[in-house]
Amino acid sequence: MDLESTRVAMLFKFGSIFAFVAALYGVSSASEFPSWSNSNIRGTPDPPKPYVVERVYPKLEFKQPVEIMPLADTGRMLLLEVGGKVHTFLDRDDCEQSDVALDLSPIVQNFMRSFGIGIHPNFKQNREIFIVYALNPIARPDGTRLSRFRMTESDPPLIDPSSEEILLTWASGGHNGSAVRFDKQGYLYFSAGDGARPFPPDEYNVSQDLSDLRATICRIDVDHRSAGLGYSIPPDNPFIGVPKARPEIWAFGFRNPWRFSIDPMTQTLMCGDVGWELWELVHRVERGGNYGWSIFEGPQTIRSDIEPGPSPIRHPLFAYPHTDGLSVTGGLIYRGQAIKELDGTYVYGDYVNGKVWGLRFEGDKVTWQSEIANTSLPIITFSQDRKGEILVMSFGGSIHRLIRNPAPDRSTDFPRKLSQTGLFTDVKNLEPSPGVLPYRLNAMAFEDDATSSYVVGLPDRGAITMTQQKRQWVYPKNSVFAKTVSIPVPNQSPSAPLSNANGTTFRRLETQVLHFDGVSWNPYSYLWNEQQTDAELIGPEGTSIEIKSANSLSTNKTWRVHNRSECISCHNSPSGTIAGWDFANLSGPSLTSPERSQLDELQQMGLVTGTIKSAWLAQSMVNPSDENAKLESRARSYLSINCSHCHCRGGGGTVALELTFANTLEAINAIDQLPTQGTFGIKDARVITAGNPYRSVLYYRLATCGAGHMPKIWSRENDAHGIQLVHDWIRELPTNDHRSTENSETVDRVAAENLSLSNLSLSTDKALECFNQVLSGQSSFDDENLKTFKGTNDPIVRGLAERFIPVSERVQRLGTKIDRQQILALQGSAMSGANRYRESSAMLCRNCHRIAGVGQSVGPDLDGIAKKRKREELLESLLEPSRSIEPAFQSHTILTDQGATITGLLVERSDQATTLRSADGKLHTIASEDIEEARALGISLMPTDLAADMTAEELADLLAFLESLK
């Protein structure tokens, strides 16, 4: 083995690249740092999309336009800018100028911005235009207006500002929705968002409140007036006569319905609703529909503290995750002639990444959905020209038309091997090309047994502009970050040519690449060959490989190369995209000299520009394994690098947790905060219970290999060192709350001789104590306990103790990503399912449902359930229990003034007391004077991850048993 290979292997193991960089470059200034000029990472390895957009009206440019549409049959187009200007222009591709018909900004006191515009269907006779705009300050009770104006017949036409008639006002705020559309009856529809800022969700609690116009789509008759109003209520509006409900409301439960359309052929109302942390939503809106916000964000529950509205919750027709896009822009159903294959297709897109999708459906069932174009535009609205062809408008000011893609397929030009990328001059030894710079992180994420090395390449002397907000950092086009992941393997392994001075041998597994195409970051993975000479590009679906590990409990284990959508879920825009590439984690010693800062080095080399203020560098992350560092800094660094990509503002985590290292301890929203996504049986649980890790859901989620494990898509071979670190930090957190320190004298004092599975089954608190005893080496599972564990059906015990079992002997659970078609294809045994229902302690169905006299009648009895539901519906009820709930079986929760939390079904409520039946069948009657807070959750008591701990065969057996109940 040559010296360079040994050095690279040591870099993998110890993360020390000082000598490597110094030897490689020997530079001290930007002028001496070479340019990366041989990059081949451009374009995409994927075939081109079937459609593209072409610029129309190329001689016109607008400032932040938000709506465009033909101005009836005048031969002109009508366009609205967010700044308040209404333009008209001739509908000709060679048009050179637009004419301002109205400017709201100078004539409306406190004008802030305009959002939507609509043209009356009888415009030729009445010349009526309708505009929605908002006033400053941003949040005021009457800050949003829907106004009627009249347009002159002059050439060019003007909108008479004196003709304004304010029809409706409602509260302004962060989400306004505010599209204006008409149906074939001439009724006007308009949308209104929940008025909230991005965080917290639905901060004004209006999404399920029909006394407020926010979070709704409304419908009014602007051609007839009621007393004192400039409009009337259509007689078939759904909430006429509902106490306290605004009669204008047509549907509700939206977060920010940004653009809806009404299909002229079918009158189907389609809406794009901007999601919160994880999902973007497409709704087929029906009369009186409740679309779930903020109890739900798409398929997942969000809040459990607000009363649901009067209509059953309808889930979206389609929801796409934030791995695919971040801000939906609602579109329209195509009825043009130029692209006949799209007839009847709902075309919509995403504001952030510029992607365009097509969707077909029958009723509430999606029959086809696909990405059809990638525009790289900030798509603010879709419209159509007078021929029915789709217009796509950019918030940047340009207008485009959707057409078939004439471009040839050049995806084969993208490098299929790592050696072809230009990142390395010597791939076998990972020697970077000139201008490609290795870098180090203070704290690195847990990767099972693996360790990583990092490089960055900025083509043609490009530089990164850093600002205080990481998500606003500017990267040059075709920037590339790469991480090579290696794992220690048994000595003399033929697939491990690398070793360090201690004799540990390594195998490279994959090199992960992030490429910035000028608009989006695109992830790719290259899988190393057995000879360790090169790596090949893996497809977008990812893959898994069997490997041998020197440190694993099993000789063989599976390494998962994540699919590209999973990669983006971590490398997301809100977290700054490049994991670890931030001030706190780059502020250690420089690449070439421990005496100076790495950030200084990057600036001196010219890879980073902009003034970096000292206040931004006040805190530095540390290596979580550095026992010379403060315990809090180590634990906070660990949680930040492992968790903050989701648990940051807008990152996709479904709770208020914000684990970014720069946040103060109070700002992480965890200390003594009630968990909103399950307690896992922990008594008096908090996200973090100061002083007591065993009452902390965060600690449980790190510790378990079962349901609830975090991080979600990473290895279930959880990190013993990190778990112990977080445990010790939580123990040291100061508290004045008696609930946190209850039994503190006995915490961690479980005697080794009493460590048995029966003790583990007593409670999750005790199970966590026993887990820590074994993890820390104070006690151990004996052979008899391990043998007993392998047959246990207790999911809490199994999840916590599983890390001590060899991988090859563990139960192969389904987990959270369940292939429904695979389960439906299995025949299953009704007899085995019945036995599991009757005898298994993990069969939670029996806790709430009675079958043939067995079980408890908390929820509805299941006798005869197969007469009511088909096989597919039975499986859906197991996997998504909150998707459809009868009102009588919605769960409620009560917080007492003593801090106790009781959750169950509402049995009785009076002025004196409230009675709930909990999932164990017990009745709990709480005097009204003892209730600190009571709320309806709007979700099922049945857990959403019921099947996660089952095998495929066990779930198929249970399904077969339910099918037999006729």
Side-chain angles (χ1 to χ4, degrees):
M1 178 177 295
D2 61 28
L3 177 61
E4 189 60 24
S5 294
T6 303
R7 180 180 295 161
V8 172
M10 292 177 68
L11 299 181
F12 284 150
K13 184 65 179 173
F14 301 111
S16 173
I17 56 177
F18 301 146
F20 182 45
V21 173
L24 184 64
Y25 293 119
V27 300
S28 58
S29 69
S31 61
E32 297 175 18
F33 188 73
S35 172
W36 185 33
S37 58
N38 65 328
S39 174
N40 294 316
I41 304 179
R42 289 180 170 83
T44 171
D46 303 319
K49 301 302 177 186
Y51 306 100
V52 294
V53 293
E54 65 175 0
R55 181 84 180 265
V56 293
Y57 316 115
K59 297 179 181 180
L60 300 179
E61 197 76 37
F62 299 95
K63 184 177 181 181
Q64 297 182 324
V66 290
E67 285 271 42
I68 185 173
M69 58 195 65
L71 183 58
D73 60 355
T74 64
R76 284 182 170 263
M77 300 295 288
L78 180 74
L79 182 143
L80 175 69
E81 293 178 342
V82 73
K85 287 184 179 179
V86 179
H87 296 260
T88 71
F89 57 90
L90 293 175
D91 186 10
R92 296 200 319 242
D93 206 46
D94 61 351
C95 182
E96 297 185 354
Q97 75 171 44
S98 65
D99 301 292
V100 176
L102 176 69
D103 187 355
L104 290 170
S105 180
I107 63 174
V108 175
Q109 187 176 8
N110 297 319
F111 173 84
M112 182 175 66
R113 56 177 66 102
S114 51
F115 297 106
I117 193 167
I119 303 169
H120 195 288
N122 198 24
F123 175 81
K124 187 175 182 179
Q125 281 72 40
N126 62 29
R127 311 292 293 183
E128 290 183 352
I129 301 288
F130 298 83
I131 303 175
V132 176
Y133 63 89
L135 310 177
N136 255 327
I138 191 169
R140 53 187 290 171
D142 60 348
T144 308
R145 292 176 177 174
L146 168 64
S147 288
R148 180 191 340 236
F149 293 85
R150 284 179 174 79
M151 179 172 273
T152 68
E153 297 187 34
S154 58
D155 186 20
L158 301 173
I159 295 176
D160 181 3
S162 67
S163 69
E164 180 180 11
E165 178 187 10
I166 300 173
L167 300 180
L168 276 162
T169 65
W170 61 93
S172 56
H175 299 144
N176 289 276
S178 303
V180 179
R181 305 290 184 259
F182 284 85
D183 66 13
K184 68 178 181 180
Q185 295 175 271
Y187 292 143
L188 182 151
Y189 295 70
F190 65 91
S191 59
D194 66 8
R197 295 168 294 181
F199 188 89
D202 188 18
E203 64 180 316
Y204 302 116
N205 300 323
V206 297
S207 60
Q208 296 288 310
D209 180 5
L210 293 190
S211 69
D212 199 300
L213 291 184
R214 285 174 288 184
T216 69
I217 291 177
C218 293
R219 177 184 188 239
I220 60 175
D221 180 351
V222 295
D223 292 330
H224 301 89
R225 298 171 181 265
S226 296
L229 298 175
Y231 62 93
S232 63
I233 306 298
D236 59 341
N237 270 18
F239 301 109
I240 295 174
V242 175
K244 299 182 179 180
R246 291 290 298 263
E248 295 92 345
I249 296 174
W250 180 254
F252 67 100
F254 303 100
R255 182 173 183 263
N256 188 17
W258 186 257
R259 298 302 174 246
F260 67 89
S261 62
I262 299 174
D263 179 29
M265 183 175 293
T266 65
Q267 293 298 289
T268 301
L269 196 161
M270 299 293 295
C271 175
D273 190 15
V274 179
W276 183 47
E277 294 279 5
L278 205 59
W279 297 95
E280 298 299 307
L281 317 173
V282 173
H283 298 296
R284 185 174 70 87
V285 180
E286 294 190 338
R287 176 182 180 273
N290 177 0
Y291 293 88
W293 181 253
S294 58
I295 297 173
F296 283 88
E297 178 200 16
Q300 69 177 357
T301 56
I302 295 297
R303 291 186 57 181
S304 58
D305 59 336
I306 59 174
E307 290 278 355
S311 303
I313 290 175
R314 298 176 59 89
H315 288 270
L317 177 67
F318 186 78
Y320 64 87
H322 280 183
T323 54
D324 293 341
L326 291 169
S327 182
V328 68
T329 297
L332 46 83
I333 294 176
Y334 179 73
R335 298 298 182 188
Q337 297 298 314
I339 315 176
K340 290 186 179 295
E341 66 272 19
L342 285 183
D343 183 56
T345 300
Y346 179 65
V347 177
Y348 65 103
D350 191 272
Y351 171 80
V352 174
N353 62 22
K355 291 183 178 181
V356 177
W357 293 278
L359 181 150
R360 299 191 190 105
F361 58 93
E362 294 178 3
D364 287 332
K365 183 178 180 181
V366 173
T367 58
W368 175 84
Q369 194 275 341
S370 180
E371 181 184 337
I372 61 174
N374 193 345
T375 70
S376 301
L377 299 171
I379 301 173
I380 196 66
T381 197
F382 290 86
S383 186
Q384 57 188 9
D385 62 21
R386 61 190 69 256
K387 294 181 180 179
E389 302 307 318
I390 291 179
L391 298 179
V392 181
M393 190 158 68
S394 165
F395 196 53
S398 54
I399 307 163
H400 307 257
R401 181 184 291 117
L402 189 72
I403 62 171
R404 291 190 181 93
N405 190 353
D409 184 352
R410 290 197 172 94
S411 59
T412 55
D413 296 343
F414 195 88
R416 258 55 186 183
K417 292 186 177 182
L418 188 60
S419 58
Q420 299 169 347
T421 62
L423 281 167
F424 303 99
T425 55
D426 182 348
V427 172
K428 182 177 179 179
N429 293 315
L430 281 189
E431 180 179 327
S433 294
V436 177
L437 180 71
Y439 65 94
R440 65 181 294 273
L441 300 177
N442 298 339
M444 293 192 291
F446 171 66
E447 296 179 289
D448 210 345
D449 294 334
T451 187
S452 297
S453 63
Y454 307 85
V455 296
V456 55
L458 307 178
D460 304 322
R461 293 191 180 276
I464 301 167
T465 302
M466 290 183 168
T467 62
Q468 183 176 8
Q469 296 295 327
K470 183 183 176 185
R471 68 182 70 187
Q472 297 174 358
W473 291 8
V474 179
Y475 296 84
K477 184 177 181 179
N478 290 318
S479 297
V480 175
F481 285 77
K483 178 174 87 169
T484 298
V485 183
S486 302
I487 195 167
V489 292
N491 291 336
Q492 277 100 53
S493 170
S495 63
L498 305 177
S499 65
N500 63 17
N502 296 325
T504 303
T505 56
F506 295 88
R507 174 185 172 182
R508 297 189 189 111
L509 298 176
E510 60 173 315
T511 294
Q512 302 168 359
V513 171
L514 275 173
H515 169 233
F516 184 57
D517 63 11
V519 178
S520 303
W521 287 95
N522 301 300
Y524 307 105
S525 288
Y526 289 83
L527 185 66
W528 282 83
N529 59 27
E530 285 291 329
Q531 297 75 31
Q532 299 284 276
T533 56
D534 208 342
E536 294 202 12
L537 180 69
I538 296 298
E541 70 283 351
T543 190
S544 295
I545 57 173
E546 292 295 319
I547 58 175
K548 292 183 177 181
S549 170
N551 300 333
S552 174
L553 287 166
S554 173
T555 303
N556 296 313
K557 64 188 304 182
T558 299
W559 180 267
R560 183 179 175 194
V561 178
H562 292 293
N563 66 53
R564 293 178 193 167
S565 291
E566 289 174 323
C567 295
I568 289 297
S569 69
C570 290
H571 297 286
N572 56 55
S573 176
S575 68
T577 306
I578 316 299
W581 184 263
D582 53 46
F583 292 131
N585 214 3
L586 291 171
S587 57
S590 80
L591 299 169
T592 58
S593 173
E595 285 75 34
R596 60 180 175 181
S597 161
Q598 181 174 218
L599 282 172
D600 289 342
E601 180 86 8
L602 292 170
Q603 284 187 300
Q604 196 166 31
M605 290 180 172
L607 296 180
V608 170
T609 61
T611 302
I612 300 175
K613 299 179 181 179
S614 58
W616 302 352
L617 310 175
Q619 296 285 336
S620 292
M621 292 170 66
V622 300
N623 184 341
S625 299
D626 183 2
E627 296 188 359
N628 293 320
K630 292 181 180 179
L631 178 62
E632 180 174 338
S633 293
R634 294 169 59 202
R636 290 289 309 281
S637 296
Y638 180 85
L639 292 171
S640 181
I641 192 61
N642 284 287
C643 311
S644 67
H645 50 272
C646 282
H647 293 294
C648 66
R649 186 67 56 83
T654 61
V655 295
L657 193 63
E658 293 193 57
L659 292 173
T660 304
F661 185 82
N663 285 346
T664 64
L665 193 60
E666 293 76 18
I668 68 174
N669 298 321
I671 310 300
D672 296 324
Q673 297 295 311
L674 287 169
T676 60
Q677 296 294 311
T679 65
F680 304 97
I682 299 173
K683 180 183 177 183
D684 198 21
R686 297 293 186 269
V687 178
I688 293 177
T689 301
N692 193 337
Y694 312 130
R695 297 279 178 85
S696 301
V697 168
L698 183 145
Y699 178 65
Y700 170 83
R701 285 185 177 275
L702 292 174
T704 186
C705 291
H709 170 81
M710 288 287 179
K712 280 187 176 182
I713 68 170
W714 290 10
S715 170
R716 291 288 178 108
E717 190 74 17
N718 46 21
D719 181 9
H721 174 267
I723 295 168
Q724 191 65 47
L725 173 63
V726 173
H727 170 279
D728 295 346
W729 170 60
I730 294 175
R731 284 295 308 277
E732 296 300 319
L733 288 173
T735 178
N736 295 317
D737 188 338
H738 71 89
R739 295 175 298 178
S740 301
T741 55
E742 182 182 350
N743 299 324
S744 62
E745 294 299 316
T746 62
V747 169
D748 291 337
R749 298 179 185 272
V750 179
E753 60 269 21
N754 291 329
L755 185 62
S756 68
L757 291 175
S758 60
N759 284 337
L760 285 173
S761 300
L762 289 176
S763 66
T764 308
D765 310 36
K766 285 295 181 185
L768 282 167
E769 290 185 45
C770 293
F771 170 87
N772 181 255
Q773 286 281 318
V774 180
L775 186 71
S776 62
Q778 300 174 58
S779 300
S780 63
F781 284 118
D782 59 28
D783 291 340
E784 187 62 30
N785 278 337
L786 287 179
K787 182 178 179 181
T788 305
F789 165 68
K790 293 173 189 176
T792 186
N793 286 319
D794 186 330
I796 297 296
V797 176
R798 187 159 65 187
L800 288 172
E802 187 166 326
R803 80 168 323 276
F804 305 108
I805 303 299
V807 173
S808 61
E809 299 179 25
R810 297 177 185 175
V811 175
Q812 298 302 305
R813 295 183 299 261
L814 285 167
T816 57
K817 295 188 176 181
I818 298 175
D819 185 339
R820 300 190 186 196
Q821 295 307 312
Q822 175 197 7
I823 302 301
L824 292 171
L826 296 175
Q827 184 170 354
S829 166
M831 182 176 294
S832 297
N835 290 337
R836 180 174 177 82
Y837 172 81
R838 296 187 185 101
E839 299 171 9
S840 171
S841 63
M843 182 43 61
L844 302 178
C845 302
R846 193 176 63 243
N847 294 342
C848 293
H849 301 286
R850 185 184 294 272
I851 300 176
V854 177
Q856 301 183 75
S857 293
V858 178
D861 288 359
L862 298 182
D863 293 317
I865 187 65
K867 295 179 181 178
K868 304 175 184 177
R869 298 191 182 184
K870 299 177 182 178
R871 179 178 173 83
E872 293 82 359
E873 294 171 327
L874 290 170
L875 179 59
E876 180 181 272
S877 67
L878 291 170
L879 301 181
E880 296 184 71
S882 294
R883 188 173 180 87
S884 178
I885 319 168
E886 297 177 28
F889 296 106
Q890 291 186 354
S891 56
H892 293 246
T893 188
I894 288 176
L895 178 66
T896 72
D897 57 7
Q898 295 298 311
T901 302
I902 301 116
T903 300
L905 301 182
L906 180 64
V907 176
E908 186 178 4
R909 180 163 51 195
S910 67
D911 293 340
Q912 290 74 40
T914 299
T915 300
L916 299 182
R917 179 182 286 110
S918 56
D920 58 6
K922 295 180 180 178
L923 293 176
H924 305 265
T925 300
I926 306 97
S928 297
E929 61 187 17
D930 297 331
I931 297 175
E932 181 175 314
E933 185 178 0
R935 57 188 186 243
L937 300 181
I939 59 175
S940 172
L941 282 179
M942 186 173 166
T944 56
D945 56 358
L946 176 71
D949 243 19
M950 296 183 189
T951 65
E953 292 75 17
E954 288 171 341
L955 181 55
D957 290 345
L958 177 59
L959 186 59
F961 173 49
L962 294 176
E963 272 191 290
S964 71
L965 301 176
K966 298 180 179 179

